[in-house]
Amino acid sequence: AQSVSQHNHHVILSEAASLELGCNYSYGGTVNLFWYVQYPGQHLQLLLKYFSGDPLVKGIKGFEAEFIKSKFSFNLRKPSVQWSDTAEYFCAVNARGYSSASKIIFGSGTRLSIRP
Amino acid sequence: DAGVIQSPRHEVTEMGQEVTLRCKPISGHDYLFWYRQTMMRGLELLIYFNNNVPIDDSGMPEDRFSAKMPNASFSTLKIQPSEPRDSAVYFCASSYDRSLGNEQFFGPGTRLTVL
């Protein structure tokens, strides 16, 4: 079965620090990959997505993620975080061609706290 | 489009009462998902529909929970009877175009408190 692992449950950084949040998935076939962000008190919003092509994907607000197929990873990065990036970040995977392909599996989330 | 609409935004009820949460997906979307989010368990998929038909309800915690989708523009999640451990934020999401890789669009959520 598909699964998504986010090993960092809570990350605390100072403003201007660089960010990398880990995401690993288990599925041997073709995948669509997503990062969603949930700001405090709000609903999940799409940050970026990977379907095919360039494995380095750029999203909104200066975020990017790199798909490394050999490592089954899709880590999220930002070179310089801001206080407004304080949120919870969810990695998600949809296995294309899987019987329940429309069901996206979400990771457990990583809470990011930015110190002003 | 107004996006996914959920009502009510907040619900406070007493243990044993029936609770009904409502969702209107984005027009044209043919997949609808119900999630529950708590501090302890994170984001859990409860059930999802395709073309109004329930496809996977394996995440529904127990028989007290039921979900329906009578038409393409409306779904309900009902809890009867409610218990304090059902307190959570319930999100509805919808998706459609496979070329988008099933990107899901989330509603604002319903914060349920069962006393």
Side-chain angles (χ1 to χ4, degrees):
Chain A
Q2 304 171 64
S3 67
V4 179
S5 297
Q6 292 182 247
H7 303 295
N8 309 108
H9 297 295
H10 189 192
V11 173
I12 303 173
L13 295 173
S14 297
E15 276 195 310
S18 64
L19 169 72
E20 181 160 2
L21 302 182
C23 173
N24 289 91
Y25 65 92
S26 63
Y27 180 68
T30 304
V31 292
N32 294 330
L33 299 160
F34 307 82
W35 275 98
Y36 285 81
V37 60
Q38 185 178 28
Y39 296 105
Q42 297 189 27
H43 61 285
L44 276 77
Q45 306 168 48
L46 186 70
L47 198 56
L48 51 78
K49 57 191 175 187
Y50 170 81
F51 297 153
S52 63
D54 189 343
L56 185 61
V57 179
K58 295 193 183 298
I60 60 172
K61 303 186 180 185
F63 285 91
E64 65 179 32
E66 185 174 12
F67 170 50
I68 303 179
K69 189 174 181 180
S70 60
K71 295 184 178 180
F72 299 91
S73 70
F74 190 55
N75 291 355
L76 181 70
R77 300 195 294 249
K78 185 170 184 179
S80 176
V81 295
Q82 302 172 302
W83 180 80
S84 58
D85 294 325
T86 295
E88 187 146 16
Y89 293 81
F90 293 89
C91 181
V93 61
N94 169 242
R96 286 192 272 173
Y98 193 65
S99 61
S100 58
S102 295
K103 184 169 71 174
I104 294 179
I105 306 297
F106 283 84
S108 56
T110 296
R111 186 155 62 101
L112 176 64
S113 300
I114 305 298
R115 291 190 291 251
Chain B
D1 198 312
V4 176
I5 299 172
Q6 290 186 249
S7 65
R9 295 293 307 277
H10 301 273
E11 176 81 31
V12 180
T13 190
E14 293 187 344
M15 182 173 64
Q17 297 297 306
E18 177 180 293
V19 175
T20 299
L21 311 181
R22 297 171 176 79
C23 175
K24 177 178 166 47
I26 292 173
S27 177
H29 283 192
D30 56 355
Y31 288 92
L32 184 140
F33 306 80
W34 282 102
Y35 291 89
R36 178 172 69 176
Q37 187 178 39
T38 61
M39 288 290 292
M40 291 295 294
R41 302 166 81 101
L43 190 66
E44 303 173 275
L45 176 65
L46 300 178
I47 184 171
Y48 80 95
F49 296 83
N50 177 216
N51 291 323
N52 314 338
V53 176
I55 302 300
D56 184 349
D57 66 354
S58 59
M60 296 285 262
E62 48 196 276
D63 292 345
R64 297 185 297 106
F65 286 70
S66 62
K68 294 182 180 179
M69 192 165 185
N71 57 61
S73 59
F74 183 66
S75 176
T76 59
L77 177 68
K78 187 176 294 186
I79 308 172
Q80 167 62 21
S82 59
E83 296 182 4
R85 61 192 167 116
D86 302 330
S87 297
V89 180
Y90 291 81
F91 288 104
C92 177
S94 68
S95 70
Y96 168 57
D97 189 344
R98 283 182 180 269
S99 69
L100 296 178
N102 303 116
E103 173 188 341
Q104 293 186 15
F105 295 81
F106 283 78
T110 295
R111 182 174 294 277
L112 173 65
T113 302
V114 183
L115 303 174

